[in-house]
């Protein structure tokens, strides 16, 4: 067993349609949970998606490789290298998601930064997991840049593919209705546009800076984690067609756009991947080097955020709920980050498994 510490933090509590409700301090409280190291010595892992047999596929941002990790952990097996990936400070092979019909179509989806624009592709995986092939481009036209790609993919309870994009270091794109950047997008698994999107486009919500986490509550609530600039990082509840304020507003600074569910200072956070499990959002923090547990219910905070693993494992990039109910997470210490980076530890990067109690 390993002991997780809840640190003193300051958080701000919002509902989706209200202003500030409360500011609270959180006392230290020990929590226990088992942590298992499933794999080591990964290179800049970014995307994680589970297969029907419980194994997982992992993307490497800086090599464009996809590896398969056994359900019980072990040496990752190289599946192949995704062609057409363009590398930059934050770009490369990013999010992955598995087709609900994988056993029949052998398909996963991937977000890649590319030239001339970033794109979402379908990839077919060979039966022996020894090769891969890009079979279709579902969406392109996402402005590329050195930073702020977003990159997370999730299939929602509606059966559609949800995509997070960054503002490509051009803040004005977040408010530009003609741009796919600074948005949360939603498309069909064949690239079609679902009913309910904005203006018959892939756009579902806008006014985002750099969303790297999407999670769905059991009631269908859509949550997103968003990297701020130097004032506030955000967790938002996402609604169709709404404006989340960037760049006019950042967190609780400014009154333009929807208020966040909760905010964290970037020094303590810089949020990336996020998953829902057992009544909480579990959110990785890069610069903050910790895993946040954020109790939620029906789109509102139901308790105070808790920080686990503070500076214990380094930067945490990706958090996913495994088929067995555990939580898998990646460290991100070999990523070469120029902002909030850290020296890799022995065995980095790692996949960790948390047995929730």
């Amino acid at each position: 067993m390993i002991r997780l510490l809840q640190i003193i933090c300051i958080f701000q509590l919002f509902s989706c349609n209200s202003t500030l409700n409360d500011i609270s301090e959180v006392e230290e409280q020990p929590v226990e949970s088992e942590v298992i190291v499933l794999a080591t010595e990964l290179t800049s892992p970014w995307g994680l998606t589970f297969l029907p047999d419980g194994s997982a596929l992992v993307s490497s941002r800086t090599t464009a490789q996809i590896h398969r990790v056994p359900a019980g952990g072990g040496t990752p097996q190289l599946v192949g290298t995704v062609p057409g990936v363009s590398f930059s400070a934050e770009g490369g092979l990013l999010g992955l998601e598995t087709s609900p019909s994988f056993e029949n179509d052998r398909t996963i989806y991937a977000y890649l930064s590319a030239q001339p624009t970033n794109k979402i592709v379908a990839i077919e995986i060979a039966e022996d997991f020894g090769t891969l092939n890009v079979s279709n481009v579902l969406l392109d036209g996402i402005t590329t840049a050195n930073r702020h790609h977003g990159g997370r993919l999730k299939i929602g309870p509606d059966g559609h593919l949800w995509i997070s994009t960054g503002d490509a270091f051009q803040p004005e794109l977040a408010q530009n209705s003609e741009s796919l950047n600074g948005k949360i997008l939603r498309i069909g698994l064949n690239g079609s546009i679902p009913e309910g999107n904005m203006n018959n486009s892939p756009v579902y919500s806008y006014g985002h800076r750099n969303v790297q986490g999407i999670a769905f509550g059991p009631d269908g609530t859509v949550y997103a984690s968003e990297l701020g600039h130097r004032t506030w990082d955000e967790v938002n509840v996402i609604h169709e067609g709404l404006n989340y304020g960037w760049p006019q507003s950042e967190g609780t600074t400014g009154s333009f756009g929807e208020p966040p569910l909760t905010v964290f200072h970037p020094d303590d956070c810089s949020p990336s991947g996020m998953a829902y499990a057992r009544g909480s959002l579990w959110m990785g923090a890069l610069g903050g080097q910790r895993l946040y547990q954020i109790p939620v219910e029906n789109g509102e905070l139901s308790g105070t955020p808790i920080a686990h693993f503070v500076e214990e494992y380094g930067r945490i990039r990706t958090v996913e709920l495994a088929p067995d109910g555990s939580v898998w997470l990646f460290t991100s210490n070999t990523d070469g980050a120029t902002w909030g980076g850290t020296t890799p530890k022995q065995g980095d990067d790692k996949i960790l498994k948390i047995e929730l109690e």
Side-chain angles (χ1 to χ4, degrees), residues 1-326:
M1 304 293 288
I2 195 163
R3 194 168 286 275
L4 313 179
L5 293 180
Q6 179 176 354
I7 64 164
I8 296 176
C9 65
I10 298 202
F11 81 98
Q12 301 192 343
L13 176 62
F14 295 84
S15 68
C16 296
N17 299 304
S18 65
T19 54
L20 181 64
N21 291 328
D22 192 20
I23 300 177
S24 302
E25 290 188 358
V26 181
E27 298 293 333
E28 271 193 16
Q29 294 181 1
V31 183
E32 289 189 349
S33 179
E34 184 177 2
V35 177
I36 300 167
V37 178
L38 294 175
T40 60
E41 299 183 351
L42 297 170
T43 301
S44 56
W46 212 102
L48 168 66
T49 188
F50 290 97
L51 301 177
D53 65 359
S55 66
L57 298 179
V58 177
S59 68
S60 168
R61 183 184 71 80
T62 57
T63 69
Q65 293 179 336
I66 294 178
H67 287 81
R68 184 186 182 207
V69 178
T75 302
Q77 168 199 348
L78 178 63
V79 177
T81 302
V82 178
V85 177
S86 178
F87 303 104
S88 62
E90 295 178 1
L93 180 58
L94 303 175
L96 301 178
E97 182 65 301
T98 301
S99 165
S101 304
F102 180 84
E103 291 176 311
N104 296 320
D105 60 26
R106 306 294 299 178
T107 295
I108 66 168
Y109 306 100
Y111 184 124
L112 31 142
S113 60
Q115 295 293 337
T117 63
N118 293 352
K119 55 190 174 182
I120 313 301
V121 300
I123 298 174
E124 291 185 6
I125 306 295
E127 291 282 348
D128 64 357
F129 292 96
T131 58
L132 57 77
N133 174 58
V134 175
S135 58
N136 190 24
V137 176
L138 275 65
L139 180 68
D140 58 12
I142 304 166
T143 299
T144 195
N146 194 40
R147 300 176 184 273
H148 293 195
H149 297 267
R152 199 65 61 181
L153 300 181
K154 290 280 189 174
I155 294 177
D158 58 4
H160 299 311
L161 184 63
W162 294 66
I163 304 157
S164 72
T165 70
D167 66 6
F169 234 56
Q170 301 177 57
E172 67 277 7
L173 293 182
Q175 296 293 326
N176 184 342
S177 61
E178 301 299 317
S179 171
L180 298 179
N181 291 78
K183 313 293 193 296
I184 290 178
L185 311 177
R186 186 181 66 143
I187 60 175
L189 300 185
N190 60 358
S192 61
I193 306 301
E195 291 185 8
N197 282 13
M198 296 179 60
N199 303 320
N200 196 33
S201 77
V203 176
Y204 191 83
S205 66
Y206 66 111
H208 300 286
R209 183 173 183 265
N210 193 18
V211 173
Q212 289 193 5
I214 301 174
F216 300 92
D219 60 344
T221 299
V222 187
Y223 300 94
S225 57
E226 181 169 341
L227 291 115
H229 185 213
R230 295 302 305 144
T231 306
W232 295 115
D233 294 326
E234 304 174 8
V235 175
N236 287 297
V237 174
I238 303 302
H239 295 282
E240 170 195 336
L242 294 189
N243 183 351
Y244 288 81
W246 176 256
Q248 288 88 340
S249 297
E250 181 181 347
T252 58
T253 301
S255 58
F256 183 73
E258 292 298 301
L261 175 68
T262 190
V263 295
F264 301 87
H265 192 275
D267 288 343
D268 300 322
C269 196
S270 299
S272 193
M274 183 169 62
Y276 176 92
R278 297 203 179 185
S280 292
L281 299 171
W282 301 80
M283 183 178 73
L286 296 166
Q289 299 186 33
R290 62 198 70 185
L291 175 69
Y292 278 107
Q293 178 186 354
I294 307 169
V296 292
E297 185 175 3
N298 299 324
E300 296 185 0
L301 288 182
S302 58
T304 58
I306 304 165
H308 303 299
F309 304 136
V310 179
E311 298 184 347
E312 186 170 349
Y313 294 104
R315 294 157 53 87
I316 296 177
R317 169 73 65 187
T318 293
V319 185
E320 295 286 355
L321 180 66
D324 65 2
S326 64

